[in-house]
């Protein structure tokens, strides 16, 4: 049966629609999904494989001889299929194999990471990154504590660098979930994750920056004070830039961080460091930002700052006014 399944589904995938078309600027994410013409036939084979893997009558001791590393590797190669229906079946089947065949687990994790490495550092193109991250999200959820070094390295070497490729928006939701799972499992990884996000922070892509800010909020929600203080200076240096961004979506998303009680609590315990970093951006927003919603949110954050530590707020305001006078004098 496994031989029949192999002969019917394992194949060399045709070039993707964005390859060899003569259109170098073609964006595969904006194209209509491609559907395999032979899918009605292939669906029956995938359904048979799925039922075999999940069946309570399947003897895993016998099945593991045939569902070996070579079989799993060929399944993973098929994740680059352009047909979303095929990738959905592959995701379900591989997840079930991971759950039932413990001997295959290290190989599956290693091969998924290898696919990520190829995508990040070589091709920049792969159709199944989102589905692989969905599987990985479930895998991370089952990690035991203390976390193995292998898993920590996977976070640092594969998941954090996945923020770099251009098609991030396609799979960001699943990537963000995986990152959040790691931090919730082991809060000591929070500063590693935050510094990783800062390393790959977008400079000119506003939509990508909004995604980063959303993910950053989720990570900060699971961050403890010690880890927060390890990275707060570079973190709020970047947040300060985002607050004063001319793009109103970026500025609003950065200011929304103050809507979280946990994040405000973290900030309030380090006001003496954070307030001087962000004060200039807040003042510039109030006086010069073109968007009224951003100005309104900035006023609210500024009031929160003055209520928490009035003395430090007055000091920052004095420094800001003196700096402004110096600049006016230099211009004159």
């Amino acid at each position: 049966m496994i031989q029949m399944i192999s002969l019917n589904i394992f194949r060399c995938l045709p070039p993707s629609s964005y390859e060899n078309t003569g259109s170098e600027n073609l964006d595969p994410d904006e194209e209509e999904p491609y559907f395999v013409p032979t899918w009605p036939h292939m669906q029956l084979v995938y359904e048979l494989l799925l039922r075999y893997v999940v069946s309570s009558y399947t003897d895993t001791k016998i099945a593991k001889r045939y569902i070996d590393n070579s079989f799993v590797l060929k399944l993973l190669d098929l994740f680059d299929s352009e047909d979303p229906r095929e990738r959905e079946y592959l995701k379900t089947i591989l997840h079930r194999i991971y759950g039932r065949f413990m001997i295959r687990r290290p190989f599956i994790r290693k091969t998924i990471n290898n696919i990520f490495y190829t995508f990040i550092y070589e091709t920049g193109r792969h159709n199944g990154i989102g589905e692989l991250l969905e599987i990985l999200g479930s895998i991370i959820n089952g990690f035991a504590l203390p976390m193995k070094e292998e898993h920590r390295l996977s976070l640092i070497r594969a998941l954090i660098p996945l923020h770099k490729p251009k098609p991030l928006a396609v799979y960001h939701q699943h990537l963000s979930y995986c990152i959040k799972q790691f931090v919730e499992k082991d809060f000591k990884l929070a500063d590693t994750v935050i510094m990783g996000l800062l390393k790959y922070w977008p400079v000119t892509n506003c939509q990508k920056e909004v995604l980063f800010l959303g993910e950053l909020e989720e990570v900060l929600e699971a961050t403890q004070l010690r880890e927060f203080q390890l990275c707060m200076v570079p973190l709020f240096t970047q947040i300060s830039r985002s607050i004063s961004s001319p793009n109103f979506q970026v500025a609003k998303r950065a200011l929304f961080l103050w809507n979280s009680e946990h994040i405000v609590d973290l900030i309030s315990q380090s006001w003496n460091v954070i307030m001087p970093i962000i004060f200039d951006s807040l003042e510039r927003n109030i006086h010069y930002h073109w968007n009224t919603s951003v100005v309104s949110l900035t006023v609210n954050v500024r009031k929160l700052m003055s209520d928490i530590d009035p003395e430090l707020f007055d000091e920052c305001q004095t420094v800001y006014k003196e700096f402004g006078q110096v600049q006016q004098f230099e211009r004159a």
Side-chain angles (χ1 to χ4, degrees):
M1 185 186 75
I2 295 298
Q3 185 181 10
M4 180 276 294
I5 290 170
S6 301
L7 290 170
N8 278 274
I9 65 172
F10 294 149
R11 65 204 187 278
C12 291
L13 295 173
S16 296
S17 59
Y18 53 81
E19 296 176 351
N20 302 322
T21 59
S23 301
E24 293 182 3
N25 297 323
L26 188 65
D27 186 351
D29 306 324
E30 295 179 359
E31 292 296 296
E32 291 294 324
Y34 170 80
F35 296 113
V36 178
T38 56
W39 179 248
H41 166 75
M42 290 177 60
Q43 183 179 15
L44 294 174
V45 182
Y46 275 114
E47 189 64 34
L48 177 62
L49 175 57
L50 176 60
R51 295 194 181 203
Y52 175 69
V53 170
V54 302
S55 174
S56 58
Y57 296 105
T58 300
D59 188 336
T60 54
K61 292 181 180 179
I62 297 173
K64 71 181 181 182
R65 298 180 203 165
Y66 305 99
I67 300 180
D68 55 10
N69 286 352
S70 175
F71 184 88
V72 170
L73 180 61
K74 290 174 183 176
L75 272 182
L76 282 160
D77 285 341
L78 290 174
F79 271 86
D80 200 19
S81 169
E82 286 192 88
D83 194 324
R85 301 168 300 181
E86 183 171 16
R87 296 199 305 271
E88 190 66 26
Y89 261 103
L90 287 164
K91 179 185 72 177
T92 306
I93 290 167
L94 188 68
H95 190 208
R96 297 292 187 174
I97 290 174
Y98 188 91
R100 293 202 67 180
F101 298 85
M102 293 186 67
I103 195 172
R104 303 287 168 239
R105 291 183 179 183
F107 180 78
I108 290 173
R109 292 196 301 268
K110 180 182 177 182
T111 308
I112 289 175
N113 282 340
N114 288 339
I115 292 172
F116 290 158
Y117 298 147
T118 303
F119 169 66
I120 295 164
Y121 300 110
E122 294 180 21
T123 63
R125 300 283 192 179
H126 195 286
N127 294 305
I129 298 298
E131 287 81 6
L132 290 171
L133 286 168
E134 279 192 72
I135 296 169
L136 203 56
S138 298
I139 292 172
I140 295 166
N141 195 35
F143 284 168
L145 294 175
M147 196 171 289
K148 294 180 181 178
E149 181 67 9
E150 171 207 342
H151 304 327
R152 194 181 70 83
L153 290 175
S154 174
L155 169 68
I156 296 169
R157 294 176 179 175
L159 291 182
I160 291 176
L162 273 173
H163 291 84
K164 182 181 179 180
K166 289 182 180 179
L168 172 67
V170 178
Y171 56 80
H172 181 262
Q173 180 183 350
H174 305 303
L175 176 59
S176 179
Y177 176 77
C178 290
I179 296 288
K180 184 181 176 184
Q181 287 286 308
F182 264 107
V183 178
E184 288 180 346
K185 280 279 180 182
D186 186 354
F187 64 86
K188 292 179 181 179
L189 292 170
D191 66 300
T192 301
V193 168
I194 291 170
M195 293 304 295
L197 287 173
L198 295 177
K199 179 181 178 181
Y200 295 105
W201 199 274
V203 178
T204 58
N205 190 328
C206 295
Q207 291 180 337
K208 200 171 179 181
E209 189 169 0
V210 170
L211 295 177
F212 270 60
L213 287 164
E215 183 176 351
L216 179 63
E217 181 176 2
E218 291 184 351
V219 172
L220 286 173
E221 287 281 2
T223 301
Q224 303 300 314
L225 181 61
R226 181 180 176 278
E227 285 68 35
F228 175 76
Q229 290 179 334
L230 289 173
C231 60
M232 63 183 177
V233 173
L235 171 61
F236 278 88
T237 301
Q238 178 55 60
I239 289 174
S240 177
R241 294 191 200 104
S242 299
I243 286 172
S244 58
S245 170
N247 182 283
F248 78 98
Q249 291 177 318
V250 172
K252 284 174 68 175
R253 196 66 192 80
L255 291 164
F256 281 155
L257 292 173
W258 273 264
N259 288 345
S260 165
E261 291 184 11
H262 180 70
I263 295 174
V264 170
D265 183 55
L266 291 174
I267 294 171
S268 63
Q269 296 183 64
S270 305
W271 257 139
N272 60 322
V273 176
I274 294 170
M275 193 185 293
I277 295 174
I278 65 170
F279 192 87
D280 285 9
S281 294
L282 294 173
E283 290 297 311
R284 283 198 301 272
N285 269 11
I286 290 172
H287 292 101
Y288 305 116
H289 206 285
W290 64 272
N291 186 273
T292 54
S293 297
V294 171
V295 173
S296 176
L297 288 168
T298 305
V299 169
N300 292 340
V301 172
R302 187 176 181 274
K303 184 178 184 304
L304 180 66
M305 287 169 54
S306 64
D307 291 343
I308 291 176
D309 194 335
E311 291 184 10
L312 180 60
F313 180 85
D314 290 341
E315 287 179 20
C316 290
Q317 195 167 39
T318 302
V319 171
Y320 176 79
K321 288 179 179 178
E322 289 176 354
F323 181 70
Q325 290 174 353
V326 170
Q327 284 186 320
Q328 286 178 356
F329 177 78
E330 288 176 349
R331 288 194 201 102

